[in-house]
Amino acid sequence: MIEKALTGSKRYWGWVILLLALMGAGLGCYLLQLSRGLTITGMSRDVSWGLYIGQFTFLVGVAASAVMVVLPYYLHNVREFGRITVFGEFLAVAAVIMCLLFVIVDLGKPMRVFNMILYPTPNSILFWDMVVLTGYLLLNLVIGWNVLEAERNEVPPPRWVKTLVYVSIPWAISIHTVTAFLYAGLPGRHYWLNPLLAARFLASAFASGPALVIILAFVMRKFSSFDAGREAIGKLALIVTYALTTSMFFLGLELFTALYSRVPGHGLPTIEYLFTGKDGTGNLVPVMWASVALGLVAAYLLINPATRRRESTLLFACAATFVSIWLEKGIGLVIGGFIPNPFEKITEYAPTMPEILITVGVWATGLLILTGLCKIAISVKQATGHAASPSCGASASPPQNSA
Amino acid sequence: MEISRRTFLKLSGLGLLGLLGAPVIDVLAKTDRARVARAPGALTAKRWALVVDMRKCWENGKGTCRDCILACHREHNVPDIPEEKEQVRWIWTEPYENAFPEQGHQIGAALSGKPFLVLCNHCSDPPCVRVCPTRATFKREDGIVMMDYHRCIGCRYCMAACPYGARSFNFTDPRPFINSVNPAYPTRERGVVEKCNFCEERLAAGSPPACAAACRYGALVFGDLEDPGSAVREILRTRYTIRRKPELGTRPNIYYVVG
């Protein structure tokens, strides 16, 4: 089926070439980083993780959120999602590959990355994160590909695929839980040392991921013949609404504990730094308030049924949700955890241009993978006549019937 | 002998499984322990500890003595990097409020603003060892928290985990920043984490740590915490000492005499 990604319109190739150019710029900067070291980034002995690990953390959430289209379809027989589950799975594939790339570009000694496999270390959460992420990548690749191939051949997918789907549902939860445990188990990092963190991660992921799927659905409708259907988008919008409000509620819980107790050990110094600035510093203050403002606007537009149903406002709300959570989780949470440092001193962090270009390059790689996979899926759906009809139940045979 | 493609694939698969399985068996069998015999004459202990008598340090050193820091950094080829954000430090000073952020009540002992020597605490329950994904950071039987520069992949998870800011990362190549290289100890390369190693290489040769040996005033006392007759136990019995961030449960093995 891969050949379907190699034919396309001029616009398709223009987009691919743009992504390749961005990847090239990122690769160039990465070669610079390989030759000069992480000194070319904005990181320091105080803020030892920056943009790369922030993106990694955020994208694990995007990957995990594929479960929000897979679970309703396979467990609750929500047939409207039948047409789009494969896009959720392919989004997970692209997101996990970006996650792994972000970890690799962050390593000081990338050529030694296999030490993680040669010396497996069950006491390290990073070891388990590698295990669950690679497992999740394989699961989604195998599931997505086989479901699509079955659809192309107009036969039900093999039975074992359904077993894998059931495995992939708790697995999706595990990848974001384990990623939260990377942070939530560290003594002395008060902003992260929080049992709510995994729940917060999942809530924010289930908002940002489906929001991206909605945006993706609009993009596909505009640039291809594929239409996800009003019902599917409507249901996804509801998921975004509930997840976003839950996520904001969880953030509020954390803020209350810290601000009302005024105990420094509950992250108060970091929260002050993030939201008001501290001792004349405050690089992240606009980031955090932008996140709050976008989150509130998105919540308002999503909770109100009229604006949730209107396509233009829904699209804006989804974009606002995605950016709000990206700012809060991909920037504020990871970097904020290092500020103040263990000596209660503030060292600020700002990414450098090469660091930003490497980050853009990894995003471009993920988008290229996503574009290719979506192109294949759309071509298959066109060929089998499952692309244009948005009516309910017109999708490929759900595995329920096949088993 | 004829070998079918199917058999070949099966055998290759089995072979690969074996290769992947070996490290897993190592973990389960815990065969990765140090198997090196101690040299005769090496200094040994059940649990190494360091007591820093800051009063001796301030009264005799007048705040400008840096003998211990210089000795340590010279001994271990610690680079002198001007860019503060990328500095490598094994032992250095921090003001009292920063070294002991939640123990402000000691202000009564007129400690405010006083410089305190800080270094790796060689915690009894070290978070850095817990998080390291390659066991490049590990704890020896005698309590020394060790760093294997050759296994470190530079993920810097240990830096996030250390509540004492005791770890440094080689953002840049450290070699151009070493003033005079000590050929007896390795230099590091770009991309790995490093920290104080309690001078395990000197202990193995029968000498006390460089910082303790360099202090003219006997402010740094090194010894076995499990030996009731040791000098460190004598000080802990008779003087008022504090440790950094005891509330985190890492149980540091560096003690500070403050009263």
Side-chain angles (χ1 to χ4, degrees), chain A residues 48 106 112 124 182 189 345, chain B residues 94 131 152 156-157 160 168:
Chain A
S48 49
D106 186 66
R112 291 185 191 161
S124 174
L182 284 179
R189 300 288 177 189
K345 288 180 184 166
Chain B
E94 289 282 346
V131 302
C152 176
R156 310 188 297 296
Y157 198 5
S168 306

Side-chain angles (χ1 to χ4, degrees), chain A residues 185-190 340-344, chain B residues 98-101 119 121 123 125-130 157-167 244-252:
Chain A
L186 301 181
R189 300 288 177 189
H190 299 311
N341 75 357
F343 298 100
E344 302 218 336
Chain B
N98 300 106
F100 299 86
L119 64 156
N121 280 286
C123 304
D125 193 357
C128 55
V129 171
R130 210 180 305 147
Y157 198 5
C158 54
M159 299 179 82
C162 177
Y164 303 102
R167 294 183 153 262
R244 291 175 64 199
K245 304 189 179 179
E247 72 278 10
L248 300 180
T250 58
R251 289 176 287 143

Side-chain angles (χ1 to χ4, degrees), chain A residues 290-304:
Chain A
S291 168
V292 169
L294 286 169
L296 288 173
V297 170
Y300 174 79
L301 292 176
L302 286 166
I303 291 170
N304 186 342

Side-chain angles (χ1 to χ4, degrees), chain A residues 34-35 37-39 43 45 48-49 106 108-109 112 115 118-121 123-124 182 189 342-343 345, chain B residues 23 27 85-87 94 98 130-131 133 135 149 151-157 159-160 168 190 244-245:
Chain A
L34 274 183
S35 73
L38 287 164
T39 182
M43 288 184 268
R45 77 193 307 285
S48 49
W49 282 341
D106 186 66
K109 286 273 172 211
R112 291 185 191 161
N115 277 2
L118 292 171
Y119 310 104
T121 314
N123 49 280
S124 174
L182 284 179
R189 300 288 177 189
F343 298 100
K345 288 180 184 166
Chain B
V27 167
K85 285 180 164 186
E86 297 183 10
Q87 273 173 4
E94 289 282 346
N98 300 106
R130 210 180 305 147
V131 302
R135 285 176 279 159
Y149 314 122
R151 194 184 276 188
C152 176
I153 59 173
C155 70
R156 310 188 297 296
Y157 198 5
M159 299 179 82
S168 306
R190 170 171 28 82
R244 291 175 64 199
K245 304 189 179 179

Side-chain angles (χ1 to χ4, degrees), chain A residues 93-217:
Chain A
V93 168
V96 176
I97 290 173
M98 282 191 265
C99 290
L100 296 174
L101 286 174
F102 273 119
V103 170
I104 288 172
V105 298
D106 186 66
L107 292 181
K109 286 273 172 211
M111 58 297 272
R112 291 185 191 161
V113 64
F114 284 103
N115 277 2
M116 286 183 67
I117 298 164
L118 292 171
Y119 310 104
T121 314
N123 49 280
S124 174
I125 302 293
L126 201 52
F127 167 74
W128 291 110
D129 213 30
M130 175 197 70
V131 170
V132 293
L133 280 175
T134 45
Y136 191 64
L137 174 63
L138 289 175
L139 275 173
N140 279 286
L141 207 50
V142 169
I143 294 168
W145 198 261
N146 276 286
V147 168
L148 194 63
E149 194 147 67
E151 191 174 326
R152 183 180 68 156
N153 298 331
E154 303 195 58
V155 292
R159 272 179 105 140
W160 55 266
V161 170
K162 200 174 168 189
T163 315
L164 287 189
V165 168
Y166 288 143
V167 172
S168 80
I169 290 170
W171 202 292
I173 310 288
S174 85
I175 64 167
H176 218 20
T177 305
V178 174
T179 304
F181 286 175
L182 284 179
Y183 300 99
L186 301 181
R189 300 288 177 189
H190 299 311
Y191 190 53
W192 297 338
L193 188 68
N194 184 337
L196 192 63
L197 202 63
R200 253 188 77 191
F201 271 27
L202 284 166
S204 63
F206 293 161
S208 59
L212 186 58
V213 175
I214 293 176
I215 297 170
L216 202 61

